[in-house]
Amino acid sequence: MGIIKTRQVEFSQGSAEWLQWRETGQGGSDVPIIMGQGRKFKKSRFCLWLEKTGQRKPLDISNLPHVRRGVRLEPVVREILARHFGTNITPILVEDASNPHRKVSLDGIMVQYVNGDAVDIPVEIKCPGAKGFADVVTNTTMSEDYIYYNLQVQYQIALTNAPFAYLAFYNECGDKPRLKLFKVLRDQDLIDSILTEVDEFQSLVDNLLAPKLDPELDVIKIDTELSAQWKADSLRLYELRQEEAELKAKLDAIKSELVEINGRFDTATYGHKKFQAGNVVVTRSQRITTDYKSLIANEVPNLDEATIAKYRKSGTSSVSVKIVDKKQAESDADQDLLSILYGNNLVTLSPSQVN
């Protein structure tokens, strides 16, 4: 394996200096996104590029439940692992001395002896929710979280010149906290691919060249004159949505009154399976349902997603169309009808930038 000359950076994780240091390169948490796996957190390469080039501020995720959980539990898990391995585990910052845009904030690093030599081994800690942890326990290296975070860990292995790393998943839900620990072996082919992609992405950042858009994650907004048909349809769509909302309100009122009337008939005929008076017939029946989801979970506990997928029918596609601005819809209908639907003026926005 190629040895990467690295250096330790003396910043306190979470400090303003640390945040600035992270913004000037590609850290471990950026790697899965750079490698095209951003669907887990709905973040594309283009979205990350906007942040790295200073065109958009990163979203403040500090108050998200999984982030707060991780911040709270990380030192707890680090201490558990330190006792397990019988050694100190220390969080540090490392960057490539020759390519400082390659950098990692390690949850911890510890010394282990490999073939008689003392080696620095990185430790990555994740604290998923109950569902994510169950997936890790059941599907291990084929679980969504392992596949995603393996990219981050391989990057850490590369920048510490380690033969392996530890990836720990911890969950405190239920009666007893649980820990699932993986020894992640160095995958040099994957590391070479990661470093290449990281370097190419940094080049895009340095040269202000936007990466290719992800059609599933990036939202496209057309900033140009619209066709006559588009304008007319947008106004009509708004009118129909308004009418639909009014009819729904009326229907809700009708349903509410029907519930009241049916309740009075129910009370008046209580005890009879079928009752007729005048032109009204009241019929009682009982419908029994089965909670198949709980049945499978309790009675077939080892049934995995791969087996279920064999019996899953193909889904159907749908398209949602809505009006986002009433005034714009009305304005479009009044403007010159001679226009081009799609032009060269493209503005690309990430999902988080669109209301």
Side-chain angles (χ1 to χ4, degrees):
M1 67 179 185
I3 302 298
I4 297 177
K5 184 179 180 180
T6 61
R7 60 191 174 211
Q8 187 171 338
V9 181
E10 300 295 339
F11 291 136
S12 174
Q13 294 196 29
S15 66
E17 294 82 4
W18 173 74
L19 290 173
Q20 185 177 10
W21 175 75
R22 286 187 64 189
E23 291 173 0
T24 58
Q26 313 311 321
S29 59
D30 299 323
V31 168
I33 300 169
I34 292 172
M35 297 296 290
Q37 299 299 314
R39 288 167 183 77
K40 177 176 174 61
F41 293 113
K42 297 181 173 61
K43 189 170 186 178
S44 70
R45 285 163 53 88
F46 177 73
C47 181
L48 180 64
W49 177 83
L50 286 175
E51 294 176 357
K52 297 295 183 178
T53 55
Q55 298 181 62
R56 199 196 74 174
K57 290 184 178 180
L59 294 176
D60 182 5
I61 61 173
S62 59
N63 285 323
L64 293 180
H66 72 276
V67 175
R68 295 175 63 182
R69 182 171 59 244
V71 171
R72 177 172 58 86
L73 292 176
E74 182 182 310
V76 175
V77 182
R78 188 161 39 240
E79 180 60 30
I80 292 173
L81 293 173
R83 291 201 301 268
H84 172 76
F85 288 109
T87 187
N88 292 326
I89 300 177
T90 307
I92 65 169
L93 310 179
V94 175
E95 68 181 16
D96 185 330
S98 301
N99 300 282
H101 63 271
R102 302 174 180 174
K103 54 190 63 183
V104 287
S105 299
L106 298 176
D107 291 340
I109 198 164
M110 64 180 175
V111 176
Q112 287 197 341
Y113 285 89
V114 179
N115 298 325
D117 298 324
V119 179
D120 288 335
I121 302 297
V123 176
E124 180 65 22
I125 298 169
K126 300 299 178 186
C127 302
K131 184 178 178 181
F133 187 79
D135 182 37
V136 169
V137 171
T138 301
N139 297 307
T140 61
T141 57
M142 295 304 295
S143 64
E144 179 187 22
D145 277 6
Y146 182 93
I147 292 172
Y148 184 88
Y149 292 118
N150 178 51
L151 296 169
Q152 179 177 355
V153 172
Q154 291 294 337
Y155 190 54
Q156 294 174 351
I157 290 174
L159 294 186
T160 54
N161 297 299
F164 59 86
Y166 288 105
L167 174 57
F169 292 94
Y170 182 81
N171 182 263
E172 63 176 355
C173 297
D175 299 332
K176 184 179 179 180
R178 295 165 53 182
L179 178 71
K180 182 68 175 178
L181 184 64
F182 294 91
K183 183 178 181 179
V184 183
L185 299 180
R186 185 185 184 98
D187 184 337
Q188 190 59 46
D189 288 341
L190 181 54
I191 285 174
D192 291 342
S193 177
I194 289 172
L195 294 179
T196 297
E197 291 292 334
V198 165
D199 292 347
E200 290 180 355
F201 187 82
Q202 183 63 40
S203 178
L204 294 177
V205 171
D206 293 339
N207 294 287
L208 293 178
L209 297 174
K212 184 178 179 181
L213 300 177
D214 187 325
E216 294 188 20
L217 294 177
D218 292 312
V219 175
I220 310 302
K221 180 180 178 182
I222 306 299
D223 187 18
T224 186
E225 276 295 302
L226 303 175
S227 70
Q229 189 63 59
W230 187 282
K231 293 177 180 179
D233 284 344
S234 67
L235 179 61
R236 184 57 181 153
L237 177 62
Y238 171 76
E239 293 172 343
L240 290 174
R241 291 298 189 196
Q242 289 293 102
E243 186 176 349
E244 180 185 42
E246 293 170 1
L247 291 174
K248 185 179 182 301
K250 291 181 181 179
L251 183 60
D252 289 343
I254 291 173
K255 288 181 178 179
S256 179
E257 188 173 356
L258 283 173
V259 169
E260 294 180 7
I261 293 174
N262 288 343
R264 289 195 288 270
F265 280 126
D266 182 21
T267 301
T269 61
Y270 182 77
H272 298 276
K273 186 173 182 180
K274 194 166 186 177
F275 191 99
Q276 180 174 354
N279 64 345
V280 175
V281 178
V282 179
T283 304
R284 286 181 171 79
S285 61
Q286 186 173 15
R287 197 170 166 191
I288 300 175
T289 60
T290 302
D291 185 352
Y292 286 103
K293 185 175 181 180
S294 297
L295 173 64
I296 292 174
N298 295 327
E299 302 300 328
V300 196
N302 296 323
L303 188 63
D304 57 22
E305 179 62 27
T307 302
I308 296 174
K310 296 178 182 178
Y311 299 90
R312 184 172 288 122
K313 297 180 180 179
S314 58
T316 58
S317 298
S318 62
V319 176
S320 173
V321 181
K322 65 179 181 179
I323 291 293
V324 294
D325 188 336
K326 173 187 174 183
K327 292 182 178 179
Q328 184 63 48
E330 294 172 337
S331 174
D332 285 346
D334 294 334
Q335 291 174 7
D336 183 9
L337 298 184
L338 297 177
S339 57
I340 301 173
L341 175 57
Y342 292 102
N344 294 324
N345 298 324
L346 257 166
V347 177
T348 51
L349 303 176
S350 69
S352 57
Q353 291 176 290
V354 179
N355 292 329

